[in-house]
Amino acid sequence: MGDNPSNVKGLTAGNLIQVTSLEGQWRRPEPVPQARRVTMGELTDKAKGIANEVAGNVKQASGDPATRAAGKAQERKGEAQNLKGGVKGAFGDKV
């Protein structure tokens, strides 16, 4: 590449660093690794869904109307999570 990065098309001194151990050659810096994102799998979604359904059913057995309504909502949330787990299983966690 030479000592001057300005003679190489598309390269600027701003995105290059000089490495002295390579006799003044220019190179691109190493990319900074990104944090790996952990996604929930099929079984995790299904387990959380079942847990929410059970908790929702327990709340629905309460005598308080507000608690019963919250239980119904939590049961629906659990059903949705369980469905999501089934879809992930069918498509191989690509959802």
Side-chain angles (χ1 to χ4, degrees):
M1 281 185 153
D3 287 335
N4 187 0
S6 63
N7 64 357
V8 179
K9 186 176 183 179
L11 298 179
T12 64
N15 66 358
L16 298 176
I17 58 173
Q18 188 171 13
V19 180
T20 56
S21 65
L22 295 176
E23 302 164 3
Q25 295 292 315
W26 294 85
R27 68 173 176 87
R28 293 188 188 275
E30 296 294 323
V32 177
Q34 298 294 321
R36 202 175 132 209
R37 185 173 173 195
V38 178
T39 58
M40 289 195 299
E42 169 190 5
L43 294 177
T44 306
D45 280 335
K46 284 186 174 184
K48 286 183 133 189
I50 291 171
N52 273 320
E53 284 186 58
V54 169
N57 286 331
V58 169
K59 286 181 181 180
Q60 287 181 46
S62 169
D64 181 33
T67 305
R68 272 188 273 161
K72 192 163 195 95
Q74 189 167 6
E75 182 184 10
R76 298 291 180 247
K77 177 183 175 183
E79 290 170 356
Q81 280 178 318
N82 203 354
L83 177 65
K84 181 180 174 185
V87 170
K88 278 188 177 181
F91 289 105
D93 287 344
K94 290 184 172 65
V95 177

